[in-house]
Amino acid sequence: MKRIALFLLAFITCIAIQAANPDKNFYVFLCFGQSNMEGNARPEEPDKTVDPRFQMMAAVDFPQAGRKMGEWYDAVPPLCREGNGLTPADWFGRELVYNLPKNVRVGVINVAIGGCDIKAFMQDQVAEYAKTAPQWMIGMLQAYNNDPYQRLLDMARKAQQAGVIKGILLHQGETNCGQADWPDKVKLVYERLLKDLGLKAQDCPLIAGEVVIADGKGQCMAHNPVINRLPEVIPTAHVAHADGCQGGPDNLHFSAAGYRELGCRYADIMLPLLGVKNIKRIPLPEPPKPNVARFSQFTYASGNKVVKDDFMTVNPEWTQVRPSKDNFFEIAQGHGFLPNSMELQCRQVNLYEGKDPSLLLRKATDASYTAQVTLNFQPKSPQELAGLVVFQKESRNFVICKANGRDGKPALVLYKTDKDGTNGPWGNMPPRAEEVARQTLTVDQSALITLKVTAEGSIYKFYYSTDEGKNFTLLGDSQDGSIFSADSSTPVQIGIYATGKSGAGFGGFGGFGR
């Protein structure tokens, strides 16, 4: 009995010593913010494998993944909560372990809430803030017992038993866009974390990331000058710049490629602070080649006038909505039973952004006409679609297209856009497309689709055929063409269109914060 008691005493003493002597080669980083830190892009195959030296502590339970709050796991996304996506922290950690000595491990703890104000991390204000939180945020707040700061602190204290906290990563500010006192509020949160964790600022720098710029279309990019003031307010703060980091369809969140690049930029700032002199950039995944949509046998008919285009060459009647630096279209020679076709790339730009989409247009010269085209296209992601367009401008158009349905099955969808963009809570929002009809296709139906539009004055009807144009089915009801103005300087045009960034109002990686 005495021997057992001595053994238990020795075991408890060993555990206590281990807790009192955390691994100095386990570098821990605290991550907090709103939806871009929470993660809004779908992880891709290169994101699903990770060096086991890169770990994450679950700040909530992950029932489906079997992760328990407060425990360490390999840092396979999602890092924040189940249902979230890729974050800057993912490739921040990857670049760190790529550059640090092999005996050094990296851990991250991510507490973030989509759409939240910085007040959500201020303990003297979060209770009042939670009372007025929008309905969609309530569940996220409750995941942290309505006190995300305390959850971050509790997890950080537990992490201090295993390793050493080396820095704090922040991505937040979209909801506080342009507020001049935001840096002062961040300072209060940062300094309280340091005090509550017994850390010194010089040993635990803060790195904040800029918000999406998206070639000047970023919804909240007006906040970046405010973010760049942080080092003036917090001497140990640094800023990871977002120029060149690809934005997502909403120009509010980053794409997967954008998160990877931004995360590496966080790491490029942190590594010299950890004493690394010769930084090697971890190889990032090559961007996949864009999917292509193939259009063939275009016909435009009005009365006795019939215009056909078999796409033997690029007919000069086809024009772009604005010049593009990308060669997004080309003629593909037919083979076998397939005719020649016009191939359009599914690029990361859509027709609502005021940019240069993969869109070719020709004038609809008559008030009443029929136009049709055959489409050979297999969408590979929820953001890809291709089809026939009736277009006057970004905010006045119809699109009948093939896309992935909500259940992953191919579908034909009819969209209408009849309203200008708005000045939303995060800045100017592009025009929003409204889905007006949808038809799921069987696999047998989804190979070649013929799309058709008929116009009779202001009445438009959209059809599809799955038997090479022998029989057509009306998709939805007749549509009111009075959405198009009579302004002759912006004529109504017929077009073929493809995109890999379907944009506002379209299905995509939804449910990921705000």
Side-chain angles (χ1 to χ4, degrees):
M1 190 72 180
K2 183 176 180 181
R3 185 175 296 176
I4 294 174
L6 288 172
F7 174 79
L8 288 173
L9 179 62
F11 178 76
I12 293 169
T13 302
C14 179
I15 295 296
I17 290 172
Q18 186 178 11
N21 294 281
D23 183 356
K24 65 180 181 180
N25 289 320
F26 186 21
Y27 297 174
V28 178
F29 298 87
L30 310 182
C31 310
F32 74 102
Q34 57 184 101
S35 57
N36 272 312
M37 184 58 80
E38 189 181 52
N40 196 265
R42 186 184 299 276
E44 299 170 348
E45 284 305 313
D47 307 307
K48 296 176 183 178
T49 56
V50 65
D51 188 322
R53 291 165 51 218
F54 179 30
Q55 299 275 296
M56 60 83 73
M57 177 186 280
V60 297
D61 289 337
F62 288 58
Q64 296 180 15
R67 293 174 175 176
K68 298 292 185 182
M69 182 175 68
E71 300 298 323
W72 291 102
Y73 301 92
D74 289 353
V76 177
L79 304 183
C80 187
R81 296 187 311 277
E82 281 185 331
N84 295 142
L86 207 63
T87 82
D90 285 278
W91 284 76
F92 166 81
R94 284 168 170 77
E95 173 131 330
L96 255 59
V97 297
Y98 188 74
N99 282 273
L100 291 167
K102 297 299 183 183
N103 65 326
V104 175
R105 294 179 297 141
V106 172
V108 294
I109 303 170
N110 190 329
V111 173
I113 296 176
C116 76
D117 191 288
I118 190 63
K119 293 175 184 177
F121 293 93
M122 303 176 73
Q123 282 197 303
D124 61 338
Q125 298 190 44
V126 67
E128 196 62 31
Y129 178 71
K131 291 179 184 178
T132 59
Q135 187 66 33
W136 48 261
M137 192 186 292
I138 291 174
M140 293 184 276
L141 283 164
Q142 289 175 343
Y144 303 118
N145 290 332
N146 288 326
D147 193 344
Y149 176 90
Q150 187 62 48
R151 179 63 56 83
L152 183 62
L153 181 62
D154 291 344
M155 298 298 100
R157 284 172 171 162
K158 186 165 186 177
Q160 285 180 310
Q161 299 172 19
V164 180
I165 296 175
K166 289 287 188 176
I168 299 173
L169 311 184
L170 169 68
H171 200 286
Q172 195 277 331
E174 292 92 342
T175 299
N176 300 89
C177 186
Q179 295 177 13
D181 62 348
W182 180 82
D184 299 304
K185 293 177 180 177
V186 172
K187 181 180 180 181
L188 290 173
V189 177
Y190 173 62
E191 291 183 343
R192 178 157 186 176
L193 272 172
L194 296 178
K195 180 180 178 181
D196 289 345
L197 294 168
L199 300 170
K200 296 180 180 178
Q202 60 267 30
D203 299 327
C204 188
L206 172 72
I207 304 178
E210 288 184 333
V211 300
V212 170
I213 296 174
D215 298 325
K217 298 289 185 178
Q219 300 296 335
C220 300
M221 59 180 289
H223 193 60
N224 284 335
V226 180
I227 295 173
N228 280 285
R229 283 189 49 236
L230 273 176
E232 301 172 16
V233 178
I234 304 171
T236 51
H238 307 263
V239 176
H241 298 294
D243 53 301
C245 293
Q246 188 182 79
D250 58 5
N251 290 330
L252 182 63
H253 301 99
F254 294 95
S255 68
Y259 283 118
R260 294 184 196 113
E261 177 62 29
L262 185 61
C264 288
R265 294 183 187 185
Y266 275 82
D268 291 342
I269 295 170
M270 181 57 69
L271 283 164
L273 301 175
L274 297 173
V276 177
K277 295 182 180 179
N278 298 314
I279 300 173
K280 298 175 294 180
R281 174 57 77 91
I282 185 172
L284 294 175
E286 289 289 329
K289 292 183 179 179
N291 194 9
V292 296
R294 297 174 177 87
F295 296 87
S296 59
Q297 299 172 322
F298 175 85
T299 302
Y300 175 93
S302 178
N304 295 324
K305 178 175 64 178
V306 178
V307 176
K308 292 186 177 182
D309 192 338
D310 292 327
F311 298 114
M312 302 301 291
T313 61
V314 179
N315 191 311
E317 292 291 322
W318 293 104
T319 62
Q320 301 176 44
V321 66
R322 53 184 60 83
S324 175
K325 62 181 180 180
D326 298 331
N327 185 19
F328 64 79
F329 63 92
E330 66 176 348
I331 297 293
Q333 297 300 314
H335 56 87
F337 67 92
L338 294 175
N340 277 22
S341 62
M342 176 70 80
E343 290 189 347
L344 299 188
Q345 294 180 357
C346 296
R347 295 153 60 234
Q348 292 295 308
V349 57
N350 62 51
L351 60 78
Y352 308 98
E353 300 176 287
K355 294 183 181 179
D356 58 337
S358 296
L359 172 66
L360 294 179
L361 299 166
R362 59 191 303 156
K363 291 181 181 179
T365 55
D366 307 276
S368 297
Y369 62 86
T370 296
Q372 71 180 54
V373 71
T374 299
L375 172 66
N376 182 2
F377 174 59
Q378 300 300 330
K380 295 180 180 179
S381 80
Q383 291 292 339
E384 291 183 352
L385 57 82
L388 189 65
V389 178
V390 183
F391 182 91
Q392 187 172 46
K393 57 182 180 178
E394 283 84 355
S395 59
R396 299 291 185 274
N397 55 74
F398 292 103
V399 180
I400 180 172
C401 61
K402 183 178 179 182
N404 267 335
R406 299 182 183 92
D407 55 2
K409 296 179 180 179
L412 291 172
V413 191
L414 177 61
Y415 292 106
K416 176 181 72 174
T417 308
D418 62 353
K419 296 180 178 62
D420 295 330
T422 59
N423 186 16
W426 292 287
N428 293 326
M429 305 295 287
R432 186 174 181 83
E434 173 193 357
E435 179 182 316
V436 294
R438 174 182 290 264
Q439 176 61 53
T440 300
L441 298 170
T442 66
V443 174
D444 292 338
Q445 293 176 316
S446 66
L448 291 178
I449 301 291
T450 304
L451 303 175
K452 182 171 76 171
V453 55
T454 65
E456 296 180 6
S458 63
I459 302 300
Y460 283 76
K461 296 180 181 180
F462 296 86
Y463 301 85
Y464 68 92
S465 169
T466 59
D467 57 5
E468 300 182 21
K470 297 173 184 175
N471 299 282
F472 282 91
T473 301
L474 181 66
L475 182 60
D477 299 323
S478 300
Q479 302 299 318
D480 185 359
S482 65
I483 66 169
F484 301 122
S485 74
D487 182 1
S488 60
S489 64
T490 53
V492 176
Q493 301 181 84
I494 297 294
I496 54 176
Y497 169 57
T499 183
K501 181 184 178 184
S502 56
F506 292 96
F509 198 22
F512 271 23
R514 302 293 187 274

